[in-house]
Amino acid sequence: MGCCDDPTEPKKLDRRDLIRLQEQYGELVRDLFTEDPERVILKLLNDSGSYLTELAALNAHHASVRLRAIGLLEKPSSSVLQRIAEKEPESAFGLAAKSRLEQLGG
């Protein structure tokens, strides 16, 4: 018993990891309540993965967040940039996406 991980079993979380995650969550909630939420989101965007950055580029509520996300996208996200450029060709987002595509060489 125990040679392999059972994919049906939920992953066990180390207690230290759980405490760290709870602290991060508490800090995030505190920041959202006490600071400008747009600034908090912009700060979080810098550390987010490509999926969340793509999502922000496509749908973020704040224009500054969308524009920053577009500027952070890399070559693997060219299709997202192309979609924005085609969907909103004359908007600031479409122009930023076109510019980013040119910077990436595609």
Side-chain angles (χ1 to χ4, degrees):
M1 180 162 162
C3 79
C4 306
D5 289 331
D6 182 355
T8 62
E9 285 288 318
K11 299 285 183 209
K12 301 265 190 284
L13 190 61
D14 184 321
R15 184 163 176 75
R16 292 172 298 209
D17 291 336
L18 177 62
I19 291 169
R20 183 178 47 79
L21 289 171
Q22 287 174 330
E23 287 174 355
Q24 287 175 342
Y25 176 76
E27 290 170 6
L28 174 61
V29 171
R30 182 199 64 222
D31 288 349
L32 287 171
F33 284 150
T34 60
E35 292 185 32
D36 177 12
E38 185 175 1
R39 281 188 35 216
V40 173
I41 294 167
L42 284 167
K43 188 171 109 180
L44 291 171
L45 186 60
N46 292 325
D47 297 324
S48 67
S50 61
Y51 172 75
L52 290 177
T53 304
E54 289 174 356
L55 191 62
L58 289 166
N59 298 314
H61 176 73
H62 299 287
S64 62
V65 174
R66 279 193 76 189
L67 290 171
R68 171 87 57 89
I70 288 169
L72 291 173
L73 291 177
E74 296 294 331
K75 190 121 179 129
S77 299
S78 293
S79 63
V80 172
L81 291 167
Q82 189 66 40
R83 197 160 105 197
I84 295 167
E86 289 172 2
K87 186 177 177 184
E88 307 174 59
E90 300 303 318
S91 75
F93 309 117
L95 296 173
K98 287 177 197 171
S99 174
R100 185 66 181 150
L101 279 169
E102 290 172 6
Q103 288 174 352
L104 296 174

